PDB file of all heavy atoms in Angstrom:
ATOM      1  N   ALA F  12     -43.635 -14.013  20.798  1.00 95.00           N
ATOM      2  CA  ALA F  12     -44.331 -13.947  19.515  1.00 95.00           C
ATOM      3  C   ALA F  12     -44.009 -15.176  18.690  1.00 95.00           C
ATOM      4  O   ALA F  12     -42.889 -15.709  18.742  1.00 95.00           O
ATOM      5  CB  ALA F  12     -43.936 -12.675  18.755  1.00 95.00           C
ATOM      6  N   VAL F  13     -45.007 -15.639  17.945  1.00 95.00           N
ATOM      7  CA  VAL F  13     -44.789 -16.712  16.960  1.00 95.00           C
ATOM      8  C   VAL F  13     -44.131 -16.083  15.762  1.00 95.00           C
ATOM      9  O   VAL F  13     -44.596 -15.067  15.249  1.00 95.00           O
ATOM     10  CB  VAL F  13     -46.135 -17.363  16.574  1.00 95.00           C
ATOM     11  CG1 VAL F  13     -45.917 -18.492  15.592  1.00 95.00           C
ATOM     12  CG2 VAL F  13     -46.864 -17.859  17.809  1.00 95.00           C
ATOM     13  N   LYS F  14     -43.043 -16.674  15.294  1.00 95.00           N
ATOM     14  CA  LYS F  14     -42.250 -16.007  14.260  1.00 95.00           C
ATOM     15  C   LYS F  14     -42.991 -15.855  12.931  1.00 95.00           C
ATOM     16  O   LYS F  14     -43.570 -16.836  12.447  1.00 95.00           O
ATOM     17  CB  LYS F  14     -40.910 -16.705  14.052  1.00 95.00           C
ATOM     18  CG  LYS F  14     -40.980 -18.094  13.423  1.00 95.00           C
ATOM     19  CD  LYS F  14     -39.559 -18.629  13.208  1.00 95.00           C
ATOM     20  CE  LYS F  14     -39.593 -20.018  12.573  1.00 95.00           C
ATOM     21  NZ  LYS F  14     -38.247 -20.586  12.379  1.00 95.00           N
ATOM     22  N   PRO F  15     -42.998 -14.666  12.347  1.00 94.00           N
ATOM     23  CA  PRO F  15     -43.505 -14.465  11.005  1.00 94.00           C
ATOM     24  C   PRO F  15     -42.399 -14.600   9.959  1.00 94.00           C
ATOM     25  O   PRO F  15     -42.673 -14.697   8.761  1.00 94.00           O
ATOM     26  CB  PRO F  15     -44.039 -13.039  11.030  1.00 94.00           C
ATOM     27  CG  PRO F  15     -43.093 -12.318  11.960  1.00 94.00           C
ATOM     28  CD  PRO F  15     -42.672 -13.367  13.002  1.00 94.00           C
ATOM     29  N   MET F  16     -41.151 -14.587  10.422  1.00 92.00           N
ATOM     30  CA  MET F  16     -39.963 -14.664   9.543  1.00 92.00           C
ATOM     31  C   MET F  16     -38.878 -15.379  10.305  1.00 92.00           C
ATOM     32  O   MET F  16     -38.919 -15.479  11.537  1.00 92.00           O
ATOM     33  CB  MET F  16     -39.497 -13.279   9.125  1.00 92.00           C
ATOM     34  CG  MET F  16     -40.535 -12.483   8.344  1.00 92.00           C
ATOM     35  SD  MET F  16     -39.935 -10.845   7.909  1.00 92.00           S
ATOM     36  CE  MET F  16     -41.394 -10.130   7.164  1.00 92.00           C
ATOM     37  N   ASN F  17     -37.879 -15.848   9.600  1.00 94.00           N
ATOM     38  CA  ASN F  17     -36.813 -16.630  10.208  1.00 94.00           C
ATOM     39  C   ASN F  17     -35.554 -15.832  10.518  1.00 94.00           C
ATOM     40  O   ASN F  17     -34.689 -16.324  11.241  1.00 94.00           O
ATOM     41  CB  ASN F  17     -36.411 -17.776   9.263  1.00 94.00           C
ATOM     42  CG  ASN F  17     -37.552 -18.749   9.034  1.00 94.00           C
ATOM     43  OD1 ASN F  17     -38.132 -19.283   9.959  1.00 94.00           O
ATOM     44  ND2 ASN F  17     -37.899 -18.974   7.759  1.00 94.00           N
ATOM     45  N   CYS F  18     -35.470 -14.593   9.977  1.00 92.00           N
ATOM     46  CA  CYS F  18     -34.174 -13.903  10.050  1.00 92.00           C
ATOM     47  C   CYS F  18     -33.642 -13.643  11.466  1.00 92.00           C
ATOM     48  O   CYS F  18     -32.459 -13.842  11.722  1.00 92.00           O
ATOM     49  CB  CYS F  18     -34.224 -12.607   9.225  1.00 92.00           C
ATOM     50  SG  CYS F  18     -35.792 -11.773   9.136  1.00 92.00           S
ATOM     51  N   PRO F  19     -34.478 -13.217  12.451  1.00 93.00           N
ATOM     52  CA  PRO F  19     -33.891 -13.002  13.779  1.00 93.00           C
ATOM     53  C   PRO F  19     -33.300 -14.248  14.387  1.00 93.00           C
ATOM     54  O   PRO F  19     -32.251 -14.182  15.092  1.00 93.00           O
ATOM     55  CB  PRO F  19     -35.080 -12.486  14.588  1.00 93.00           C
ATOM     56  CG  PRO F  19     -35.994 -11.867  13.589  1.00 93.00           C
ATOM     57  CD  PRO F  19     -35.883 -12.754  12.379  1.00 93.00           C
ATOM     58  N   GLY F  20     -33.906 -15.426  14.152  1.00 95.00           N
ATOM     59  CA  GLY F  20     -33.337 -16.652  14.657  1.00 95.00           C
ATOM     60  C   GLY F  20     -31.990 -16.965  14.039  1.00 95.00           C
ATOM     61  O   GLY F  20     -31.069 -17.456  14.710  1.00 95.00           O
ATOM     62  N   HIS F  21     -31.840 -16.683  12.749  1.00 97.00           N
ATOM     63  CA  HIS F  21     -30.559 -16.901  12.064  1.00 97.00           C
ATOM     64  C   HIS F  21     -29.484 -15.957  12.606  1.00 97.00           C
ATOM     65  O   HIS F  21     -28.300 -16.316  12.717  1.00 97.00           O
ATOM     66  CB  HIS F  21     -30.720 -16.714  10.561  1.00 97.00           C
ATOM     67  CG  HIS F  21     -31.579 -17.777   9.925  1.00 97.00           C
ATOM     68  ND1 HIS F  21     -31.534 -18.050   8.575  1.00 97.00           N
ATOM     69  CD2 HIS F  21     -32.485 -18.644  10.443  1.00 97.00           C
ATOM     70  CE1 HIS F  21     -32.384 -19.034   8.316  1.00 97.00           C
ATOM     71  NE2 HIS F  21     -32.976 -19.381   9.433  1.00 97.00           N
ATOM     72  N   ILE F  22     -29.919 -14.743  12.958  1.00 96.00           N
ATOM     73  CA  ILE F  22     -28.970 -13.790  13.554  1.00 96.00           C
ATOM     74  C   ILE F  22     -28.446 -14.314  14.898  1.00 96.00           C
ATOM     75  O   ILE F  22     -27.256 -14.201  15.197  1.00 96.00           O
ATOM     76  CB  ILE F  22     -29.671 -12.416  13.719  1.00 96.00           C
ATOM     77  CG1 ILE F  22     -29.825 -11.762  12.345  1.00 96.00           C
ATOM     78  CG2 ILE F  22     -28.892 -11.499  14.645  1.00 96.00           C
ATOM     79  CD1 ILE F  22     -30.677 -10.509  12.357  1.00 96.00           C
ATOM     80  N   LEU F  23     -29.348 -14.885  15.715  1.00 96.00           N
ATOM     81  CA  LEU F  23     -28.886 -15.421  17.010  1.00 96.00           C
ATOM     82  C   LEU F  23     -27.871 -16.539  16.807  1.00 96.00           C
ATOM     83  O   LEU F  23     -26.900 -16.623  17.574  1.00 96.00           O
ATOM     84  CB  LEU F  23     -30.091 -15.941  17.798  1.00 96.00           C
ATOM     85  CG  LEU F  23     -31.118 -14.903  18.260  1.00 96.00           C
ATOM     86  CD1 LEU F  23     -32.236 -15.554  19.052  1.00 96.00           C
ATOM     87  CD2 LEU F  23     -30.450 -13.791  19.076  1.00 96.00           C
ATOM     88  N   LEU F  24     -28.046 -17.354  15.777  1.00 96.00           N
ATOM     89  CA  LEU F  24     -27.054 -18.407  15.497  1.00 96.00           C
ATOM     90  C   LEU F  24     -25.729 -17.815  15.055  1.00 96.00           C
ATOM     91  O   LEU F  24     -24.665 -18.309  15.428  1.00 96.00           O
ATOM     92  CB  LEU F  24     -27.572 -19.364  14.431  1.00 96.00           C
ATOM     93  CG  LEU F  24     -28.484 -20.500  14.928  1.00 96.00           C
ATOM     94  CD1 LEU F  24     -28.804 -21.436  13.784  1.00 96.00           C
ATOM     95  CD2 LEU F  24     -27.815 -21.276  16.051  1.00 96.00           C
ATOM     96  N   TYR F  25     -25.813 -16.755  14.229  1.00 97.00           N
ATOM     97  CA  TYR F  25     -24.559 -16.111  13.781  1.00 97.00           C
ATOM     98  C   TYR F  25     -23.736 -15.618  14.959  1.00 97.00           C
ATOM     99  O   TYR F  25     -22.517 -15.673  14.969  1.00 97.00           O
ATOM    100  CB  TYR F  25     -24.879 -14.959  12.836  1.00 97.00           C
ATOM    101  CG  TYR F  25     -23.627 -14.215  12.356  1.00 97.00           C
ATOM    102  CD1 TYR F  25     -22.948 -14.662  11.206  1.00 97.00           C
ATOM    103  CD2 TYR F  25     -23.102 -13.139  13.064  1.00 97.00           C
ATOM    104  CE1 TYR F  25     -21.798 -14.006  10.799  1.00 97.00           C
ATOM    105  CE2 TYR F  25     -21.938 -12.485  12.654  1.00 97.00           C
ATOM    106  CZ  TYR F  25     -21.282 -12.925  11.523  1.00 97.00           C
ATOM    107  OH  TYR F  25     -20.154 -12.300  11.098  1.00 97.00           O
ATOM    108  N   ARG F  26     -24.430 -15.151  16.003  1.00 95.00           N
ATOM    109  CA  ARG F  26     -23.745 -14.574  17.149  1.00 95.00           C
ATOM    110  C   ARG F  26     -23.098 -15.627  18.058  1.00 95.00           C
ATOM    111  O   ARG F  26     -22.389 -15.293  19.002  1.00 95.00           O
ATOM    112  CB  ARG F  26     -24.717 -13.743  17.979  1.00 95.00           C
ATOM    113  CG  ARG F  26     -25.216 -12.518  17.211  1.00 95.00           C
ATOM    114  CD  ARG F  26     -26.318 -11.780  17.964  1.00 95.00           C
ATOM    115  NE  ARG F  26     -25.827 -11.176  19.185  1.00 95.00           N
ATOM    116  CZ  ARG F  26     -26.595 -10.543  20.074  1.00 95.00           C
ATOM    117  NH1 ARG F  26     -27.904 -10.478  19.854  1.00 95.00           N
ATOM    118  NH2 ARG F  26     -26.105 -10.018  21.158  1.00 95.00           N
ATOM    119  N   GLU F  27     -23.317 -16.918  17.745  1.00 95.00           N
ATOM    120  CA  GLU F  27     -22.664 -17.981  18.503  1.00 95.00           C
ATOM    121  C   GLU F  27     -21.196 -18.073  18.075  1.00 95.00           C
ATOM    122  O   GLU F  27     -20.870 -18.525  16.991  1.00 95.00           O
ATOM    123  CB  GLU F  27     -23.356 -19.333  18.219  1.00 95.00           C
ATOM    124  CG  GLU F  27     -24.720 -19.480  18.879  1.00 95.00           C
ATOM    125  CD  GLU F  27     -24.584 -19.664  20.380  1.00 95.00           C
ATOM    126  OE1 GLU F  27     -23.864 -20.584  20.812  1.00 95.00           O
ATOM    127  OE2 GLU F  27     -25.188 -18.858  21.128  1.00 95.00           O
ATOM    128  N   GLY F  28     -20.313 -17.593  18.917  1.00 94.00           N
ATOM    129  CA  GLY F  28     -18.877 -17.673  18.637  1.00 94.00           C
ATOM    130  C   GLY F  28     -18.402 -16.500  17.784  1.00 94.00           C
ATOM    131  O   GLY F  28     -19.180 -15.832  17.108  1.00 94.00           O
ATOM    132  N   VAL F  29     -17.108 -16.276  17.787  1.00 96.00           N
ATOM    133  CA  VAL F  29     -16.479 -15.194  17.026  1.00 96.00           C
ATOM    134  C   VAL F  29     -16.303 -15.621  15.576  1.00 96.00           C
ATOM    135  O   VAL F  29     -15.854 -16.737  15.301  1.00 96.00           O
ATOM    136  CB  VAL F  29     -15.125 -14.787  17.634  1.00 96.00           C
ATOM    137  CG1 VAL F  29     -14.451 -13.710  16.807  1.00 96.00           C
ATOM    138  CG2 VAL F  29     -15.305 -14.338  19.088  1.00 96.00           C
ATOM    139  N   LYS F  30     -16.655 -14.760  14.646  1.00 96.00           N
ATOM    140  CA  LYS F  30     -16.528 -15.051  13.219  1.00 96.00           C
ATOM    141  C   LYS F  30     -15.342 -14.275  12.647  1.00 96.00           C
ATOM    142  O   LYS F  30     -15.124 -13.102  12.992  1.00 96.00           O
ATOM    143  CB  LYS F  30     -17.789 -14.658  12.467  1.00 96.00           C
ATOM    144  CG  LYS F  30     -19.072 -15.374  12.965  1.00 96.00           C
ATOM    145  CD  LYS F  30     -19.016 -16.878  12.733  1.00 96.00           C
ATOM    146  CE  LYS F  30     -20.329 -17.556  13.092  1.00 96.00           C
ATOM    147  NZ  LYS F  30     -20.666 -17.476  14.533  1.00 96.00           N
ATOM    148  N   SER F  31     -14.616 -14.956  11.778  1.00 97.00           N
ATOM    149  CA  SER F  31     -13.499 -14.335  11.086  1.00 97.00           C
ATOM    150  C   SER F  31     -13.906 -14.021   9.645  1.00 97.00           C
ATOM    151  O   SER F  31     -14.884 -14.596   9.134  1.00 97.00           O
ATOM    152  CB  SER F  31     -12.295 -15.300  11.089  1.00 97.00           C
ATOM    153  OG  SER F  31     -11.376 -14.978  10.065  1.00 97.00           O
ATOM    154  N   TYR F  32     -13.143 -13.150   9.002  1.00 97.00           N
ATOM    155  CA  TYR F  32     -13.416 -12.855   7.587  1.00 97.00           C
ATOM    156  C   TYR F  32     -13.266 -14.100   6.753  1.00 97.00           C
ATOM    157  O   TYR F  32     -13.886 -14.217   5.681  1.00 97.00           O
ATOM    158  CB  TYR F  32     -12.473 -11.747   7.109  1.00 97.00           C
ATOM    159  CG  TYR F  32     -11.023 -12.164   6.955  1.00 97.00           C
ATOM    160  CD1 TYR F  32     -10.509 -12.562   5.707  1.00 97.00           C
ATOM    161  CD2 TYR F  32     -10.144 -12.196   8.049  1.00 97.00           C
ATOM    162  CE1 TYR F  32      -9.190 -12.963   5.562  1.00 97.00           C
ATOM    163  CE2 TYR F  32      -8.839 -12.578   7.922  1.00 97.00           C
ATOM    164  CZ  TYR F  32      -8.340 -12.965   6.668  1.00 97.00           C
ATOM    165  OH  TYR F  32      -7.027 -13.331   6.515  1.00 97.00           O
ATOM    166  N   ARG F  33     -12.508 -15.100   7.236  1.00 97.00           N
ATOM    167  CA  ARG F  33     -12.344 -16.359   6.498  1.00 97.00           C
ATOM    168  C   ARG F  33     -13.604 -17.205   6.569  1.00 97.00           C
ATOM    169  O   ARG F  33     -13.809 -18.104   5.735  1.00 97.00           O
ATOM    170  CB  ARG F  33     -11.145 -17.156   7.050  1.00 97.00           C
ATOM    171  CG  ARG F  33      -9.794 -16.514   6.804  1.00 97.00           C
ATOM    172  CD  ARG F  33      -8.684 -17.495   7.176  1.00 97.00           C
ATOM    173  NE  ARG F  33      -7.376 -16.921   6.966  1.00 97.00           N
ATOM    174  CZ  ARG F  33      -6.693 -16.263   7.886  1.00 97.00           C
ATOM    175  NH1 ARG F  33      -7.214 -16.076   9.089  1.00 97.00           N
ATOM    176  NH2 ARG F  33      -5.472 -15.765   7.630  1.00 97.00           N
ATOM    177  N   ASP F  34     -14.472 -16.967   7.580  1.00 97.00           N
ATOM    178  CA  ASP F  34     -15.727 -17.738   7.722  1.00 97.00           C
ATOM    179  C   ASP F  34     -16.791 -17.262   6.734  1.00 97.00           C
ATOM    180  O   ASP F  34     -17.822 -17.905   6.582  1.00 97.00           O
ATOM    181  CB  ASP F  34     -16.261 -17.619   9.155  1.00 97.00           C
ATOM    182  CG  ASP F  34     -15.332 -18.204  10.171  1.00 97.00           C
ATOM    183  OD1 ASP F  34     -14.762 -19.287   9.898  1.00 97.00           O
ATOM    184  OD2 ASP F  34     -15.144 -17.591  11.249  1.00 97.00           O
ATOM    185  N   LEU F  35     -16.600 -16.096   6.163  1.00 97.00           N
ATOM    186  CA  LEU F  35     -17.618 -15.495   5.302  1.00 97.00           C
ATOM    187  C   LEU F  35     -17.285 -15.722   3.842  1.00 97.00           C
ATOM    188  O   LEU F  35     -16.112 -15.739   3.443  1.00 97.00           O
ATOM    189  CB  LEU F  35     -17.728 -14.001   5.599  1.00 97.00           C
ATOM    190  CG  LEU F  35     -17.964 -13.619   7.089  1.00 97.00           C
ATOM    191  CD1 LEU F  35     -18.152 -12.133   7.211  1.00 97.00           C
ATOM    192  CD2 LEU F  35     -19.169 -14.360   7.662  1.00 97.00           C
ATOM    193  N   PRO F  36     -18.288 -15.937   3.005  1.00 97.00           N
ATOM    194  CA  PRO F  36     -19.724 -15.876   3.330  1.00 97.00           C
ATOM    195  C   PRO F  36     -20.177 -17.117   4.115  1.00 97.00           C
ATOM    196  O   PRO F  36     -19.740 -18.224   3.859  1.00 97.00           O
ATOM    197  CB  PRO F  36     -20.395 -15.849   1.961  1.00 97.00           C
ATOM    198  CG  PRO F  36     -19.448 -16.572   1.060  1.00 97.00           C
ATOM    199  CD  PRO F  36     -18.078 -16.226   1.565  1.00 97.00           C
ATOM    200  N   LEU F  37     -21.067 -16.865   5.055  1.00 97.00           N
ATOM    201  CA  LEU F  37     -21.697 -17.938   5.836  1.00 97.00           C
ATOM    202  C   LEU F  37     -23.148 -18.045   5.354  1.00 97.00           C
ATOM    203  O   LEU F  37     -23.904 -17.079   5.430  1.00 97.00           O
ATOM    204  CB  LEU F  37     -21.661 -17.598   7.329  1.00 97.00           C
ATOM    205  CG  LEU F  37     -22.256 -18.608   8.316  1.00 97.00           C
ATOM    206  CD1 LEU F  37     -21.526 -19.941   8.222  1.00 97.00           C
ATOM    207  CD2 LEU F  37     -22.198 -18.054   9.723  1.00 97.00           C
ATOM    208  N   ARG F  38     -23.517 -19.219   4.823  1.00 98.00           N
ATOM    209  CA  ARG F  38     -24.838 -19.354   4.185  1.00 98.00           C
ATOM    210  C   ARG F  38     -25.697 -20.330   5.031  1.00 98.00           C
ATOM    211  O   ARG F  38     -25.531 -21.520   4.967  1.00 98.00           O
ATOM    212  CB  ARG F  38     -24.682 -19.902   2.751  1.00 98.00           C
ATOM    213  CG  ARG F  38     -23.718 -19.090   1.885  1.00 98.00           C
ATOM    214  CD  ARG F  38     -23.675 -19.646   0.470  1.00 98.00           C
ATOM    215  NE  ARG F  38     -22.650 -18.966  -0.317  1.00 98.00           N
ATOM    216  CZ  ARG F  38     -21.482 -19.501  -0.642  1.00 98.00           C
ATOM    217  NH1 ARG F  38     -21.176 -20.745  -0.220  1.00 98.00           N
ATOM    218  NH2 ARG F  38     -20.627 -18.823  -1.355  1.00 98.00           N
ATOM    219  N   TYR F  39     -26.627 -19.740   5.794  1.00 98.00           N
ATOM    220  CA  TYR F  39     -27.592 -20.528   6.543  1.00 98.00           C
ATOM    221  C   TYR F  39     -28.881 -20.659   5.747  1.00 98.00           C
ATOM    222  O   TYR F  39     -29.378 -19.693   5.144  1.00 98.00           O
ATOM    223  CB  TYR F  39     -27.952 -19.856   7.867  1.00 98.00           C
ATOM    224  CG  TYR F  39     -26.895 -19.913   8.931  1.00 98.00           C
ATOM    225  CD1 TYR F  39     -26.804 -18.885   9.885  1.00 98.00           C
ATOM    226  CD2 TYR F  39     -26.028 -20.983   9.066  1.00 98.00           C
ATOM    227  CE1 TYR F  39     -25.846 -18.932  10.893  1.00 98.00           C
ATOM    228  CE2 TYR F  39     -25.080 -21.040  10.058  1.00 98.00           C
ATOM    229  CZ  TYR F  39     -24.989 -20.015  10.967  1.00 98.00           C
ATOM    230  OH  TYR F  39     -24.054 -20.042  11.970  1.00 98.00           O
ATOM    231  N   CYS F  40     -29.466 -21.880   5.709  1.00 98.00           N
ATOM    232  CA  CYS F  40     -30.773 -22.049   5.053  1.00 98.00           C
ATOM    233  C   CYS F  40     -31.682 -22.847   5.976  1.00 98.00           C
ATOM    234  O   CYS F  40     -31.221 -23.621   6.815  1.00 98.00           O
ATOM    235  CB  CYS F  40     -30.640 -22.737   3.693  1.00 98.00           C
ATOM    236  SG  CYS F  40     -29.996 -24.439   3.756  1.00 98.00           S
ATOM    237  N   GLU F  41     -32.989 -22.611   5.843  1.00 98.00           N
ATOM    238  CA  GLU F  41     -33.960 -23.249   6.726  1.00 98.00           C
ATOM    239  C   GLU F  41     -35.297 -23.393   6.006  1.00 98.00           C
ATOM    240  O   GLU F  41     -35.756 -22.445   5.363  1.00 98.00           O
ATOM    241  CB  GLU F  41     -34.156 -22.434   8.009  1.00 98.00           C
ATOM    242  CG  GLU F  41     -35.202 -23.035   8.938  1.00 98.00           C
ATOM    243  CD  GLU F  41     -35.370 -22.288  10.243  1.00 98.00           C
ATOM    244  OE1 GLU F  41     -34.871 -21.146  10.347  1.00 98.00           O
ATOM    245  OE2 GLU F  41     -36.007 -22.843  11.133  1.00 98.00           O
ATOM    246  N   LEU F  42     -35.909 -24.557   6.177  1.00 97.00           N
ATOM    247  CA  LEU F  42     -37.319 -24.725   5.818  1.00 97.00           C
ATOM    248  C   LEU F  42     -38.092 -24.461   7.090  1.00 97.00           C
ATOM    249  O   LEU F  42     -38.404 -25.361   7.860  1.00 97.00           O
ATOM    250  CB  LEU F  42     -37.546 -26.149   5.292  1.00 97.00           C
ATOM    251  CG  LEU F  42     -36.850 -26.462   3.951  1.00 97.00           C
ATOM    252  CD1 LEU F  42     -36.862 -27.950   3.672  1.00 97.00           C
ATOM    253  CD2 LEU F  42     -37.520 -25.686   2.816  1.00 97.00           C
ATOM    254  N   GLY F  43     -38.370 -23.200   7.330  1.00 96.00           N
ATOM    255  CA  GLY F  43     -38.874 -22.742   8.610  1.00 96.00           C
ATOM    256  C   GLY F  43     -40.363 -22.485   8.595  1.00 96.00           C
ATOM    257  O   GLY F  43     -40.875 -21.748   7.744  1.00 96.00           O
ATOM    258  N   LEU F  44     -41.084 -23.073   9.545  1.00 97.00           N
ATOM    259  CA  LEU F  44     -42.507 -22.854   9.683  1.00 97.00           C
ATOM    260  C   LEU F  44     -42.749 -21.480  10.291  1.00 97.00           C
ATOM    261  O   LEU F  44     -42.250 -21.176  11.382  1.00 97.00           O
ATOM    262  CB  LEU F  44     -43.138 -23.940  10.570  1.00 97.00           C
ATOM    263  CG  LEU F  44     -44.636 -23.793  10.827  1.00 97.00           C
ATOM    264  CD1 LEU F  44     -45.449 -23.908   9.544  1.00 97.00           C
ATOM    265  CD2 LEU F  44     -45.116 -24.847  11.833  1.00 97.00           C
ATOM    266  N   VAL F  45     -43.511 -20.625   9.599  1.00 96.00           N
ATOM    267  CA  VAL F  45     -43.811 -19.286  10.085  1.00 96.00           C
ATOM    268  C   VAL F  45     -45.324 -19.100  10.085  1.00 96.00           C
ATOM    269  O   VAL F  45     -46.065 -19.795   9.372  1.00 96.00           O
ATOM    270  CB  VAL F  45     -43.138 -18.194   9.227  1.00 96.00           C
ATOM    271  CG1 VAL F  45     -41.631 -18.331   9.264  1.00 96.00           C
ATOM    272  CG2 VAL F  45     -43.642 -18.228   7.784  1.00 96.00           C
ATOM    273  N   HIS F  46     -45.782 -18.142  10.891  1.00 96.00           N
ATOM    274  CA  HIS F  46     -47.206 -17.832  10.995  1.00 96.00           C
ATOM    275  C   HIS F  46     -47.406 -16.334  10.793  1.00 96.00           C
ATOM    276  O   HIS F  46     -46.684 -15.525  11.378  1.00 96.00           O
ATOM    277  CB  HIS F  46     -47.756 -18.217  12.368  1.00 96.00           C
ATOM    278  CG  HIS F  46     -47.813 -19.709  12.612  1.00 96.00           C
ATOM    279  ND1 HIS F  46     -46.675 -20.459  12.821  1.00 96.00           N
ATOM    280  CD2 HIS F  46     -48.862 -20.549  12.682  1.00 96.00           C
ATOM    281  CE1 HIS F  46     -47.025 -21.741  12.989  1.00 96.00           C
ATOM    282  NE2 HIS F  46     -48.345 -21.794  12.927  1.00 96.00           N
ATOM    283  N   ARG F  47     -48.360 -15.996   9.961  1.00 94.00           N
ATOM    284  CA  ARG F  47     -48.703 -14.583   9.751  1.00 94.00           C
ATOM    285  C   ARG F  47     -50.222 -14.428   9.772  1.00 94.00           C
ATOM    286  O   ARG F  47     -50.936 -15.222   9.159  1.00 94.00           O
ATOM    287  CB  ARG F  47     -48.152 -14.105   8.387  1.00 94.00           C
ATOM    288  CG  ARG F  47     -46.648 -14.168   8.300  1.00 94.00           C
ATOM    289  CD  ARG F  47     -46.106 -13.675   6.978  1.00 94.00           C
ATOM    290  NE  ARG F  47     -44.665 -13.858   6.915  1.00 94.00           N
ATOM    291  CZ  ARG F  47     -43.917 -13.590   5.844  1.00 94.00           C
ATOM    292  NH1 ARG F  47     -44.511 -13.117   4.743  1.00 94.00           N
ATOM    293  NH2 ARG F  47     -42.615 -13.798   5.865  1.00 94.00           N
ATOM    294  N   HIS F  48     -50.671 -13.419  10.502  1.00 93.00           N
ATOM    295  CA  HIS F  48     -52.090 -13.192  10.616  1.00 93.00           C
ATOM    296  C   HIS F  48     -52.635 -12.562   9.323  1.00 93.00           C
ATOM    297  O   HIS F  48     -52.242 -11.437   8.967  1.00 93.00           O
ATOM    298  CB  HIS F  48     -52.418 -12.288  11.792  1.00 93.00           C
ATOM    299  CG  HIS F  48     -53.889 -11.980  11.895  1.00 93.00           C
ATOM    300  ND1 HIS F  48     -54.827 -12.982  12.094  1.00 93.00           N
ATOM    301  CD2 HIS F  48     -54.579 -10.832  11.815  1.00 93.00           C
ATOM    302  CE1 HIS F  48     -56.026 -12.432  12.127  1.00 93.00           C
ATOM    303  NE2 HIS F  48     -55.902 -11.128  11.953  1.00 93.00           N
ATOM    304  N   GLU F  49     -53.467 -13.292   8.617  1.00 90.00           N
ATOM    305  CA  GLU F  49     -54.113 -12.795   7.407  1.00 90.00           C
ATOM    306  C   GLU F  49     -55.600 -12.648   7.695  1.00 90.00           C
ATOM    307  O   GLU F  49     -56.188 -13.491   8.383  1.00 90.00           O
ATOM    308  CB  GLU F  49     -53.892 -13.769   6.235  1.00 90.00           C
ATOM    309  CG  GLU F  49     -52.452 -13.994   5.849  1.00 90.00           C
ATOM    310  CD  GLU F  49     -51.849 -12.869   5.038  1.00 90.00           C
ATOM    311  OE1 GLU F  49     -52.559 -11.854   4.810  1.00 90.00           O
ATOM    312  OE2 GLU F  49     -50.704 -12.979   4.594  1.00 90.00           O
ATOM    313  N   LEU F  50     -56.223 -11.626   7.143  1.00 83.00           N
ATOM    314  CA  LEU F  50     -57.659 -11.445   7.293  1.00 83.00           C
ATOM    315  C   LEU F  50     -58.374 -12.615   6.631  1.00 83.00           C
ATOM    316  O   LEU F  50     -57.951 -13.110   5.592  1.00 83.00           O
ATOM    317  CB  LEU F  50     -58.110 -10.126   6.701  1.00 83.00           C
ATOM    318  CG  LEU F  50     -57.557  -8.874   7.408  1.00 83.00           C
ATOM    319  CD1 LEU F  50     -57.912  -7.618   6.584  1.00 83.00           C
ATOM    320  CD2 LEU F  50     -58.085  -8.759   8.815  1.00 83.00           C
TER     321      LEU F  50
END
């Protein structure tokens, strides 16, 4: 599927490696191109 939102991709990046409580908050930002079917 062509992404309508960016959040699942950011989740996959979060899962790269073990995170400690010291790593949080972890703030990811993206100017992400999304597609949504509009009538």
Side-chain angles (χ1 to χ4, degrees):
V13 181
K14 68 177 179 181
M16 299 178 186
N17 297 305
C18 32
H21 292 201
I22 288 171
L23 294 182
L24 275 186
Y25 179 88
R26 294 173 67 184
E27 286 288 305
V29 177
K30 302 295 186 295
S31 160
Y32 71 97
R33 292 190 181 91
D34 297 318
L35 306 184
L37 181 61
R38 307 182 186 104
Y39 286 150
C40 64
E41 178 177 13
L42 294 167
L44 179 62
V45 299
H46 291 72
R47 297 181 185 176
H48 177 61
E49 299 282 4
L50 296 172

